[in-house]
PDB file of all heavy atoms in Angstrom:
ATOM      1  N   MET B  14       0.825  -1.206   0.000  1.00  0.00           N
ATOM      2  CA  MET B  14       0.000   0.000   0.000  1.00  0.00           C
ATOM      3  C   MET B  14       0.856   1.251   0.000  1.00  0.00           C
ATOM      4  O   MET B  14       1.628   1.487   0.914  1.00  0.00           O
ATOM      5  CB  MET B  14      -0.911   0.026   1.227  1.00  0.00           C
ATOM      6  CG  MET B  14      -2.336   0.496   0.949  1.00  0.00           C
ATOM      7  SD  MET B  14      -2.528   2.180   0.324  1.00  0.00           S
ATOM      8  CE  MET B  14      -1.979   3.129   1.724  1.00  0.00           C
ATOM      9  N   ASN B  15       0.716   2.033  -1.056  1.00  0.00           N
ATOM     10  CA  ASN B  15       1.348   3.341  -1.116  1.00  0.00           C
ATOM     11  C   ASN B  15       0.301   4.438  -1.216  1.00  0.00           C
ATOM     12  O   ASN B  15       0.359   5.436  -0.515  1.00  0.00           O
ATOM     13  CB  ASN B  15       2.315   3.424  -2.295  1.00  0.00           C
ATOM     14  CG  ASN B  15       3.087   4.720  -2.322  1.00  0.00           C
ATOM     15  OD1 ASN B  15       3.604   5.151  -1.289  1.00  0.00           O
ATOM     16  ND2 ASN B  15       3.177   5.353  -3.478  1.00  0.00           N
ATOM     17  N   SER B  16      -0.700   4.246  -2.100  1.00  0.00           N
ATOM     18  CA  SER B  16      -1.818   5.177  -2.259  1.00  0.00           C
ATOM     19  C   SER B  16      -3.068   4.365  -2.552  1.00  0.00           C
ATOM     20  O   SER B  16      -2.994   3.259  -3.101  1.00  0.00           O
ATOM     21  CB  SER B  16      -1.564   6.162  -3.406  1.00  0.00           C
ATOM     22  OG  SER B  16      -0.424   6.951  -3.162  1.00  0.00           O
ATOM     23  N   ALA B  17      -4.226   4.950  -2.201  1.00  0.00           N
ATOM     24  CA  ALA B  17      -5.487   4.235  -2.426  1.00  0.00           C
ATOM     25  C   ALA B  17      -6.597   5.220  -2.757  1.00  0.00           C
ATOM     26  O   ALA B  17      -6.637   6.335  -2.232  1.00  0.00           O
ATOM     27  CB  ALA B  17      -5.860   3.408  -1.202  1.00  0.00           C
ATOM     28  N   VAL B  18      -7.514   4.788  -3.637  1.00  0.00           N
ATOM     29  CA  VAL B  18      -8.703   5.562  -3.997  1.00  0.00           C
ATOM     30  C   VAL B  18      -9.885   4.605  -3.989  1.00  0.00           C
ATOM     31  O   VAL B  18      -9.791   3.465  -4.459  1.00  0.00           O
ATOM     32  CB  VAL B  18      -8.557   6.213  -5.392  1.00  0.00           C
ATOM     33  CG1 VAL B  18      -9.834   6.972  -5.760  1.00  0.00           C
ATOM     34  CG2 VAL B  18      -7.360   7.150  -5.425  1.00  0.00           C
ATOM     35  N   ALA B  19     -11.015   5.065  -3.434  1.00  0.00           N
ATOM     36  CA  ALA B  19     -12.229   4.252  -3.387  1.00  0.00           C
ATOM     37  C   ALA B  19     -13.169   4.630  -4.521  1.00  0.00           C
ATOM     38  O   ALA B  19     -13.374   5.814  -4.806  1.00  0.00           O
ATOM     39  CB  ALA B  19     -12.922   4.442  -2.045  1.00  0.00           C
ATOM     40  N   TYR B  20     -13.734   3.600  -5.176  1.00  0.00           N
ATOM     41  CA  TYR B  20     -14.774   3.779  -6.189  1.00  0.00           C
ATOM     42  C   TYR B  20     -15.933   2.853  -5.837  1.00  0.00           C
ATOM     43  O   TYR B  20     -15.917   1.673  -6.174  1.00  0.00           O
ATOM     44  CB  TYR B  20     -14.251   3.458  -7.585  1.00  0.00           C
ATOM     45  CG  TYR B  20     -13.191   4.397  -8.081  1.00  0.00           C
ATOM     46  CD1 TYR B  20     -11.843   4.053  -8.026  1.00  0.00           C
ATOM     47  CD2 TYR B  20     -13.526   5.651  -8.594  1.00  0.00           C
ATOM     48  CE1 TYR B  20     -10.865   4.917  -8.480  1.00  0.00           C
ATOM     49  CE2 TYR B  20     -12.545   6.529  -9.037  1.00  0.00           C
ATOM     50  CZ  TYR B  20     -11.216   6.155  -8.982  1.00  0.00           C
ATOM     51  OH  TYR B  20     -10.255   7.027  -9.429  1.00  0.00           O
ATOM     52  N   GLY B  21     -16.907   3.380  -5.100  1.00  0.00           N
ATOM     53  CA  GLY B  21     -18.031   2.556  -4.688  1.00  0.00           C
ATOM     54  C   GLY B  21     -17.577   1.424  -3.796  1.00  0.00           C
ATOM     55  O   GLY B  21     -16.921   1.627  -2.768  1.00  0.00           O
ATOM     56  N   ASP B  22     -17.884   0.179  -4.208  1.00  0.00           N
ATOM     57  CA  ASP B  22     -17.508  -0.988  -3.417  1.00  0.00           C
ATOM     58  C   ASP B  22     -16.075  -1.441  -3.668  1.00  0.00           C
ATOM     59  O   ASP B  22     -15.613  -2.406  -3.050  1.00  0.00           O
ATOM     60  CB  ASP B  22     -18.453  -2.156  -3.732  1.00  0.00           C
ATOM     61  CG  ASP B  22     -19.844  -1.936  -3.170  1.00  0.00           C
ATOM     62  OD1 ASP B  22     -19.978  -1.139  -2.220  1.00  0.00           O
ATOM     63  OD2 ASP B  22     -20.787  -2.560  -3.685  1.00  0.00           O
ATOM     64  N   TYR B  23     -15.360  -0.761  -4.566  1.00  0.00           N
ATOM     65  CA  TYR B  23     -14.032  -1.201  -4.976  1.00  0.00           C
ATOM     66  C   TYR B  23     -12.949  -0.240  -4.496  1.00  0.00           C
ATOM     67  O   TYR B  23     -13.173   0.958  -4.345  1.00  0.00           O
ATOM     68  CB  TYR B  23     -13.968  -1.335  -6.495  1.00  0.00           C
ATOM     69  CG  TYR B  23     -14.844  -2.455  -7.018  1.00  0.00           C
ATOM     70  CD1 TYR B  23     -16.199  -2.239  -7.258  1.00  0.00           C
ATOM     71  CD2 TYR B  23     -14.319  -3.718  -7.249  1.00  0.00           C
ATOM     72  CE1 TYR B  23     -17.011  -3.277  -7.727  1.00  0.00           C
ATOM     73  CE2 TYR B  23     -15.123  -4.762  -7.718  1.00  0.00           C
ATOM     74  CZ  TYR B  23     -16.474  -4.526  -7.945  1.00  0.00           C
ATOM     75  OH  TYR B  23     -17.263  -5.554  -8.395  1.00  0.00           O
ATOM     76  N   LEU B  24     -11.759  -0.813  -4.288  1.00  0.00           N
ATOM     77  CA  LEU B  24     -10.581  -0.042  -3.913  1.00  0.00           C
ATOM     78  C   LEU B  24      -9.516  -0.205  -4.992  1.00  0.00           C
ATOM     79  O   LEU B  24      -9.227  -1.320  -5.432  1.00  0.00           O
ATOM     80  CB  LEU B  24     -10.017  -0.532  -2.576  1.00  0.00           C
ATOM     81  CG  LEU B  24     -10.827  -0.196  -1.326  1.00  0.00           C
ATOM     82  CD1 LEU B  24     -10.244  -0.916  -0.119  1.00  0.00           C
ATOM     83  CD2 LEU B  24     -10.866   1.296  -1.082  1.00  0.00           C
ATOM     84  N   TYR B  25      -8.945   0.932  -5.410  1.00  0.00           N
ATOM     85  CA  TYR B  25      -7.809   0.927  -6.327  1.00  0.00           C
ATOM     86  C   TYR B  25      -6.580   1.286  -5.493  1.00  0.00           C
ATOM     87  O   TYR B  25      -6.500   2.395  -4.948  1.00  0.00           O
ATOM     88  CB  TYR B  25      -8.013   1.936  -7.445  1.00  0.00           C
ATOM     89  CG  TYR B  25      -9.039   1.525  -8.485  1.00  0.00           C
ATOM     90  CD1 TYR B  25     -10.260   0.959  -8.115  1.00  0.00           C
ATOM     91  CD2 TYR B  25      -8.789   1.695  -9.827  1.00  0.00           C
ATOM     92  CE1 TYR B  25     -11.192   0.578  -9.057  1.00  0.00           C
ATOM     93  CE2 TYR B  25      -9.718   1.319 -10.792  1.00  0.00           C
ATOM     94  CZ  TYR B  25     -10.926   0.761 -10.397  1.00  0.00           C
ATOM     95  OH  TYR B  25     -11.854   0.386 -11.340  1.00  0.00           O
ATOM     96  N   ILE B  26      -5.650   0.352  -5.386  1.00  0.00           N
ATOM     97  CA  ILE B  26      -4.523   0.498  -4.470  1.00  0.00           C
ATOM     98  C   ILE B  26      -3.214   0.365  -5.232  1.00  0.00           C
ATOM     99  O   ILE B  26      -2.973  -0.637  -5.918  1.00  0.00           O
ATOM    100  CB  ILE B  26      -4.585  -0.540  -3.335  1.00  0.00           C
ATOM    101  CG1 ILE B  26      -5.862  -0.309  -2.498  1.00  0.00           C
ATOM    102  CG2 ILE B  26      -3.349  -0.445  -2.453  1.00  0.00           C
ATOM    103  CD1 ILE B  26      -6.080  -1.329  -1.411  1.00  0.00           C
ATOM    104  N   GLU B  27      -2.373   1.369  -5.114  1.00  0.00           N
ATOM    105  CA  GLU B  27      -1.037   1.352  -5.705  1.00  0.00           C
ATOM    106  C   GLU B  27      -0.048   0.887  -4.645  1.00  0.00           C
ATOM    107  O   GLU B  27       0.014   1.448  -3.549  1.00  0.00           O
ATOM    108  CB  GLU B  27      -0.664   2.734  -6.208  1.00  0.00           C
ATOM    109  CG  GLU B  27       0.699   2.808  -6.868  1.00  0.00           C
ATOM    110  CD  GLU B  27       1.033   4.209  -7.352  1.00  0.00           C
ATOM    111  OE1 GLU B  27       0.708   5.183  -6.632  1.00  0.00           O
ATOM    112  OE2 GLU B  27       1.613   4.325  -8.450  1.00  0.00           O
ATOM    113  N   ASP B  28       0.711  -0.152  -4.958  1.00  0.00           N
ATOM    114  CA  ASP B  28       1.689  -0.642  -3.987  1.00  0.00           C
ATOM    115  C   ASP B  28       3.004   0.131  -4.133  1.00  0.00           C
ATOM    116  O   ASP B  28       3.117   1.046  -4.944  1.00  0.00           O
ATOM    117  CB  ASP B  28       1.887  -2.152  -4.113  1.00  0.00           C
ATOM    118  CG  ASP B  28       2.513  -2.571  -5.432  1.00  0.00           C
ATOM    119  OD1 ASP B  28       3.171  -1.736  -6.090  1.00  0.00           O
ATOM    120  OD2 ASP B  28       2.347  -3.752  -5.810  1.00  0.00           O
ATOM    121  N   ARG B  29       4.003  -0.245  -3.358  1.00  0.00           N
ATOM    122  CA  ARG B  29       5.259   0.510  -3.350  1.00  0.00           C
ATOM    123  C   ARG B  29       6.182   0.126  -4.509  1.00  0.00           C
ATOM    124  O   ARG B  29       7.293   0.636  -4.612  1.00  0.00           O
ATOM    125  CB  ARG B  29       5.948   0.358  -1.991  1.00  0.00           C
ATOM    126  CG  ARG B  29       5.132   1.018  -0.880  1.00  0.00           C
ATOM    127  CD  ARG B  29       5.726   0.872   0.491  1.00  0.00           C
ATOM    128  NE  ARG B  29       4.776   1.344   1.502  1.00  0.00           N
ATOM    129  CZ  ARG B  29       4.836   2.526   2.099  1.00  0.00           C
ATOM    130  NH1 ARG B  29       5.808   3.366   1.799  1.00  0.00           N
ATOM    131  NH2 ARG B  29       3.925   2.862   3.006  1.00  0.00           N
ATOM    132  N   SER B  30       5.667  -0.732  -5.389  1.00  0.00           N
ATOM    133  CA  SER B  30       6.368  -1.026  -6.649  1.00  0.00           C
ATOM    134  C   SER B  30       5.651  -0.389  -7.825  1.00  0.00           C
ATOM    135  O   SER B  30       5.918  -0.733  -8.977  1.00  0.00           O
ATOM    136  CB  SER B  30       6.457  -2.546  -6.857  1.00  0.00           C
ATOM    137  OG  SER B  30       7.164  -3.164  -5.804  1.00  0.00           O
ATOM    138  N   ASP B  31       4.688   0.514  -7.528  1.00  0.00           N
ATOM    139  CA  ASP B  31       3.930   1.263  -8.535  1.00  0.00           C
ATOM    140  C   ASP B  31       2.939   0.408  -9.306  1.00  0.00           C
ATOM    141  O   ASP B  31       2.453   0.826 -10.369  1.00  0.00           O
ATOM    142  CB  ASP B  31       4.861   1.980  -9.528  1.00  0.00           C
ATOM    143  CG  ASP B  31       5.790   2.972  -8.849  1.00  0.00           C
ATOM    144  OD1 ASP B  31       5.362   3.581  -7.852  1.00  0.00           O
ATOM    145  OD2 ASP B  31       6.936   3.127  -9.306  1.00  0.00           O
ATOM    146  N   VAL B  32       2.609  -0.774  -8.823  1.00  0.00           N
ATOM    147  CA  VAL B  32       1.571  -1.603  -9.433  1.00  0.00           C
ATOM    148  C   VAL B  32       0.230  -1.230  -8.812  1.00  0.00           C
ATOM    149  O   VAL B  32       0.096  -1.159  -7.586  1.00  0.00           O
ATOM    150  CB  VAL B  32       1.853  -3.103  -9.218  1.00  0.00           C
ATOM    151  CG1 VAL B  32       0.705  -3.958  -9.763  1.00  0.00           C
ATOM    152  CG2 VAL B  32       3.174  -3.488  -9.871  1.00  0.00           C
ATOM    153  N   ILE B  33      -0.775  -0.972  -9.668  1.00  0.00           N
ATOM    154  CA  ILE B  33      -2.096  -0.570  -9.196  1.00  0.00           C
ATOM    155  C   ILE B  33      -3.051  -1.741  -9.342  1.00  0.00           C
ATOM    156  O   ILE B  33      -3.305  -2.215 -10.461  1.00  0.00           O
ATOM    157  CB  ILE B  33      -2.621   0.643  -9.983  1.00  0.00           C
ATOM    158  CG1 ILE B  33      -1.639   1.814  -9.855  1.00  0.00           C
ATOM    159  CG2 ILE B  33      -4.010   1.046  -9.488  1.00  0.00           C
ATOM    160  CD1 ILE B  33      -1.938   2.967 -10.779  1.00  0.00           C
ATOM    161  N   SER B  34      -3.571  -2.209  -8.220  1.00  0.00           N
ATOM    162  CA  SER B  34      -4.478  -3.356  -8.202  1.00  0.00           C
ATOM    163  C   SER B  34      -5.882  -2.914  -7.825  1.00  0.00           C
ATOM    164  O   SER B  34      -6.073  -1.937  -7.096  1.00  0.00           O
ATOM    165  CB  SER B  34      -3.990  -4.411  -7.197  1.00  0.00           C
ATOM    166  OG  SER B  34      -2.694  -4.867  -7.538  1.00  0.00           O
ATOM    167  N   ILE B  35      -6.876  -3.656  -8.335  1.00  0.00           N
ATOM    168  CA  ILE B  35      -8.280  -3.405  -8.022  1.00  0.00           C
ATOM    169  C   ILE B  35      -8.745  -4.497  -7.067  1.00  0.00           C
ATOM    170  O   ILE B  35      -8.572  -5.703  -7.337  1.00  0.00           O
ATOM    171  CB  ILE B  35      -9.135  -3.419  -9.298  1.00  0.00           C
ATOM    172  CG1 ILE B  35      -8.614  -2.387 -10.303  1.00  0.00           C
ATOM    173  CG2 ILE B  35     -10.602  -3.156  -8.960  1.00  0.00           C
ATOM    174  CD1 ILE B  35      -9.280  -2.458 -11.663  1.00  0.00           C
ATOM    175  N   TYR B  36      -9.341  -4.079  -5.942  1.00  0.00           N
ATOM    176  CA  TYR B  36      -9.849  -5.012  -4.937  1.00  0.00           C
ATOM    177  C   TYR B  36     -11.358  -4.843  -4.798  1.00  0.00           C
ATOM    178  O   TYR B  36     -11.870  -3.717  -4.836  1.00  0.00           O
ATOM    179  CB  TYR B  36      -9.190  -4.756  -3.582  1.00  0.00           C
ATOM    180  CG  TYR B  36      -7.705  -5.040  -3.540  1.00  0.00           C
ATOM    181  CD1 TYR B  36      -6.781  -4.073  -3.936  1.00  0.00           C
ATOM    182  CD2 TYR B  36      -7.227  -6.269  -3.097  1.00  0.00           C
ATOM    183  CE1 TYR B  36      -5.412  -4.330  -3.895  1.00  0.00           C
ATOM    184  CE2 TYR B  36      -5.863  -6.539  -3.047  1.00  0.00           C
ATOM    185  CZ  TYR B  36      -4.964  -5.555  -3.447  1.00  0.00           C
ATOM    186  OH  TYR B  36      -3.609  -5.813  -3.417  1.00  0.00           O
ATOM    187  N   ASP B  37     -12.050  -5.961  -4.590  1.00  0.00           N
ATOM    188  CA  ASP B  37     -13.499  -5.883  -4.390  1.00  0.00           C
ATOM    189  C   ASP B  37     -13.821  -5.688  -2.912  1.00  0.00           C
ATOM    190  O   ASP B  37     -12.919  -5.456  -2.084  1.00  0.00           O
ATOM    191  CB  ASP B  37     -14.198  -7.115  -4.973  1.00  0.00           C
ATOM    192  CG  ASP B  37     -13.872  -8.410  -4.223  1.00  0.00           C
ATOM    193  OD1 ASP B  37     -13.268  -8.354  -3.126  1.00  0.00           O
ATOM    194  OD2 ASP B  37     -14.222  -9.488  -4.738  1.00  0.00           O
ATOM    195  N   ALA B  38     -15.103  -5.801  -2.569  1.00  0.00           N
ATOM    196  CA  ALA B  38     -15.551  -5.501  -1.204  1.00  0.00           C
ATOM    197  C   ALA B  38     -15.043  -6.487  -0.170  1.00  0.00           C
ATOM    198  O   ALA B  38     -15.120  -6.225   1.031  1.00  0.00           O
ATOM    199  CB  ALA B  38     -17.078  -5.453  -1.163  1.00  0.00           C
ATOM    200  N   THR B  39     -14.509  -7.637  -0.599  1.00  0.00           N
ATOM    201  CA  THR B  39     -13.926  -8.604   0.334  1.00  0.00           C
ATOM    202  C   THR B  39     -12.413  -8.487   0.388  1.00  0.00           C
ATOM    203  O   THR B  39     -11.752  -9.322   0.993  1.00  0.00           O
ATOM    204  CB  THR B  39     -14.304 -10.038  -0.073  1.00  0.00           C
ATOM    205  OG1 THR B  39     -13.698 -10.344  -1.343  1.00  0.00           O
ATOM    206  CG2 THR B  39     -15.818 -10.184  -0.193  1.00  0.00           C
ATOM    207  N   LEU B  40     -11.849  -7.463  -0.252  1.00  0.00           N
ATOM    208  CA  LEU B  40     -10.418  -7.234  -0.373  1.00  0.00           C
ATOM    209  C   LEU B  40      -9.744  -8.360  -1.166  1.00  0.00           C
ATOM    210  O   LEU B  40      -8.604  -8.731  -0.906  1.00  0.00           O
ATOM    211  CB  LEU B  40      -9.746  -7.038   0.989  1.00  0.00           C
ATOM    212  CG  LEU B  40      -8.429  -6.223   0.950  1.00  0.00           C
ATOM    213  CD1 LEU B  40      -8.669  -4.816   0.436  1.00  0.00           C
ATOM    214  CD2 LEU B  40      -7.771  -6.171   2.315  1.00  0.00           C
ATOM    215  N   THR B  41     -10.490  -8.865  -2.125  1.00  0.00           N
ATOM    216  CA  THR B  41      -9.944  -9.836  -3.067  1.00  0.00           C
ATOM    217  C   THR B  41      -9.490  -9.099  -4.319  1.00  0.00           C
ATOM    218  O   THR B  41     -10.243  -8.293  -4.876  1.00  0.00           O
ATOM    219  CB  THR B  41     -10.996 -10.887  -3.444  1.00  0.00           C
ATOM    220  OG1 THR B  41     -11.409 -11.581  -2.272  1.00  0.00           O
ATOM    221  CG2 THR B  41     -10.431 -11.880  -4.459  1.00  0.00           C
ATOM    222  N   LYS B  42      -8.274  -9.364  -4.768  1.00  0.00           N
ATOM    223  CA  LYS B  42      -7.759  -8.712  -5.967  1.00  0.00           C
ATOM    224  C   LYS B  42      -8.497  -9.238  -7.191  1.00  0.00           C
ATOM    225  O   LYS B  42      -8.539 -10.441  -7.442  1.00  0.00           O
ATOM    226  CB  LYS B  42      -6.256  -8.960  -6.099  1.00  0.00           C
ATOM    227  CG  LYS B  42      -5.615  -8.248  -7.278  1.00  0.00           C
ATOM    228  CD  LYS B  42      -4.103  -8.463  -7.291  1.00  0.00           C
ATOM    229  CE  LYS B  42      -3.459  -7.829  -8.505  1.00  0.00           C
ATOM    230  NZ  LYS B  42      -1.990  -7.997  -8.541  1.00  0.00           N
ATOM    231  N   VAL B  43      -9.081  -8.305  -7.982  1.00  0.00           N
ATOM    232  CA  VAL B  43      -9.860  -8.706  -9.153  1.00  0.00           C
ATOM    233  C   VAL B  43      -9.269  -8.184 -10.452  1.00  0.00           C
ATOM    234  O   VAL B  43      -9.803  -8.467 -11.536  1.00  0.00           O
ATOM    235  CB  VAL B  43     -11.323  -8.234  -9.020  1.00  0.00           C
ATOM    236  CG1 VAL B  43     -12.005  -8.933  -7.861  1.00  0.00           C
ATOM    237  CG2 VAL B  43     -11.410  -6.722  -8.871  1.00  0.00           C
ATOM    238  N   GLY B  44      -8.187  -7.412 -10.379  1.00  0.00           N
ATOM    239  CA  GLY B  44      -7.585  -6.912 -11.605  1.00  0.00           C
ATOM    240  C   GLY B  44      -6.514  -5.890 -11.331  1.00  0.00           C
ATOM    241  O   GLY B  44      -6.212  -5.574 -10.177  1.00  0.00           O
ATOM    242  N   GLU B  45      -5.930  -5.382 -12.425  1.00  0.00           N
ATOM    243  CA  GLU B  45      -4.933  -4.318 -12.343  1.00  0.00           C
ATOM    244  C   GLU B  45      -5.299  -3.218 -13.331  1.00  0.00           C
ATOM    245  O   GLU B  45      -6.068  -3.438 -14.274  1.00  0.00           O
ATOM    246  CB  GLU B  45      -3.530  -4.858 -12.653  1.00  0.00           C
ATOM    247  CG  GLU B  45      -2.997  -5.828 -11.604  1.00  0.00           C
ATOM    248  CD  GLU B  45      -1.568  -6.259 -11.885  1.00  0.00           C
ATOM    249  OE1 GLU B  45      -1.000  -5.824 -12.916  1.00  0.00           O
ATOM    250  OE2 GLU B  45      -1.012  -7.034 -11.068  1.00  0.00           O
ATOM    251  N   THR B  46      -4.757  -2.023 -13.129  1.00  0.00           N
ATOM    252  CA  THR B  46      -5.034  -0.896 -14.004  1.00  0.00           C
ATOM    253  C   THR B  46      -3.807   0.012 -14.052  1.00  0.00           C
ATOM    254  O   THR B  46      -2.865  -0.164 -13.262  1.00  0.00           O
ATOM    255  CB  THR B  46      -6.276  -0.119 -13.533  1.00  0.00           C
ATOM    256  OG1 THR B  46      -6.566   0.925 -14.459  1.00  0.00           O
ATOM    257  CG2 THR B  46      -6.058   0.472 -12.148  1.00  0.00           C
ATOM    258  N   ASP B  47      -3.855   0.986 -14.953  1.00  0.00           N
ATOM    259  CA  ASP B  47      -2.711   1.883 -15.128  1.00  0.00           C
ATOM    260  C   ASP B  47      -2.839   3.184 -14.351  1.00  0.00           C
ATOM    261  O   ASP B  47      -1.872   3.931 -14.252  1.00  0.00           O
ATOM    262  CB  ASP B  47      -2.527   2.213 -16.611  1.00  0.00           C
ATOM    263  CG  ASP B  47      -2.168   0.982 -17.441  1.00  0.00           C
ATOM    264  OD1 ASP B  47      -1.491   0.093 -16.892  1.00  0.00           O
ATOM    265  OD2 ASP B  47      -2.574   0.924 -18.609  1.00  0.00           O
ATOM    266  N   SER B  48      -4.030   3.483 -13.827  1.00  0.00           N
ATOM    267  CA  SER B  48      -4.250   4.773 -13.165  1.00  0.00           C
ATOM    268  C   SER B  48      -5.098   4.608 -11.919  1.00  0.00           C
ATOM    269  O   SER B  48      -6.082   3.850 -11.907  1.00  0.00           O
ATOM    270  CB  SER B  48      -4.941   5.751 -14.132  1.00  0.00           C
ATOM    271  OG  SER B  48      -5.302   6.941 -13.458  1.00  0.00           O
ATOM    272  N   LEU B  49      -4.715   5.334 -10.880  1.00  0.00           N
ATOM    273  CA  LEU B  49      -5.530   5.371  -9.673  1.00  0.00           C
ATOM    274  C   LEU B  49      -6.793   6.193  -9.864  1.00  0.00           C
ATOM    275  O   LEU B  49      -7.753   6.058  -9.106  1.00  0.00           O
ATOM    276  CB  LEU B  49      -4.727   5.994  -8.519  1.00  0.00           C
ATOM    277  CG  LEU B  49      -3.877   5.107  -7.628  1.00  0.00           C
ATOM    278  CD1 LEU B  49      -3.160   5.959  -6.604  1.00  0.00           C
ATOM    279  CD2 LEU B  49      -4.709   4.040  -6.944  1.00  0.00           C
ATOM    280  N   TYR B  50      -6.821   7.049 -10.857  1.00  0.00           N
ATOM    281  CA  TYR B  50      -7.830   8.101 -10.904  1.00  0.00           C
ATOM    282  C   TYR B  50      -8.850   7.940 -12.017  1.00  0.00           C
ATOM    283  O   TYR B  50      -9.663   8.831 -12.246  1.00  0.00           O
ATOM    284  CB  TYR B  50      -7.126   9.458 -11.010  1.00  0.00           C
ATOM    285  CG  TYR B  50      -6.154   9.645  -9.866  1.00  0.00           C
ATOM    286  CD1 TYR B  50      -4.788   9.551 -10.072  1.00  0.00           C
ATOM    287  CD2 TYR B  50      -6.615   9.828  -8.571  1.00  0.00           C
ATOM    288  CE1 TYR B  50      -3.900   9.684  -9.016  1.00  0.00           C
ATOM    289  CE2 TYR B  50      -5.736   9.953  -7.508  1.00  0.00           C
ATOM    290  CZ  TYR B  50      -4.376   9.884  -7.733  1.00  0.00           C
ATOM    291  OH  TYR B  50      -3.502   9.993  -6.688  1.00  0.00           O
ATOM    292  N   ASP B  51      -8.835   6.789 -12.699  1.00  0.00           N
ATOM    293  CA  ASP B  51      -9.862   6.483 -13.683  1.00  0.00           C
ATOM    294  C   ASP B  51     -10.367   5.075 -13.431  1.00  0.00           C
ATOM    295  O   ASP B  51      -9.604   4.105 -13.525  1.00  0.00           O
ATOM    296  CB  ASP B  51      -9.317   6.587 -15.114  1.00  0.00           C
ATOM    297  CG  ASP B  51      -9.174   8.020 -15.580  1.00  0.00           C
ATOM    298  OD1 ASP B  51     -10.032   8.843 -15.206  1.00  0.00           O
ATOM    299  OD2 ASP B  51      -8.203   8.325 -16.285  1.00  0.00           O
ATOM    300  N   ALA B  52     -11.660   4.953 -13.127  1.00  0.00           N
ATOM    301  CA  ALA B  52     -12.265   3.640 -12.924  1.00  0.00           C
ATOM    302  C   ALA B  52     -13.064   3.204 -14.142  1.00  0.00           C
ATOM    303  O   ALA B  52     -13.761   2.187 -14.096  1.00  0.00           O
ATOM    304  CB  ALA B  52     -13.168   3.663 -11.696  1.00  0.00           C
TER     305      ALA B  52
END
């Protein structure tokens, strides 16, 4: 965890290696993306 943004039931979390992962409401990783600020 380096930065995080919430979009409804989902969390977009950038780790300290600059990888941005998408987590669902159970904190299960469901995907990756290139930006914290576009869902």
Side-chain angles (χ1 to χ4, degrees):
M14 222 298 294
N15 185 46
S16 298
V18 178
Y20 294 100
D22 289 338
Y23 293 84
L24 288 172
Y25 287 44
I26 297 176
E27 181 180 40
D28 66 22
R29 294 178 189 259
S30 300
D31 300 326
V32 175
I33 302 170
S34 300
I35 303 172
Y36 294 85
D37 67 11
T39 65
L40 205 62
T41 300
K42 183 176 177 179
V43 295
E45 293 184 358
T46 184
D47 296 328
S48 173
L49 271 178
Y50 304 106
D51 283 324

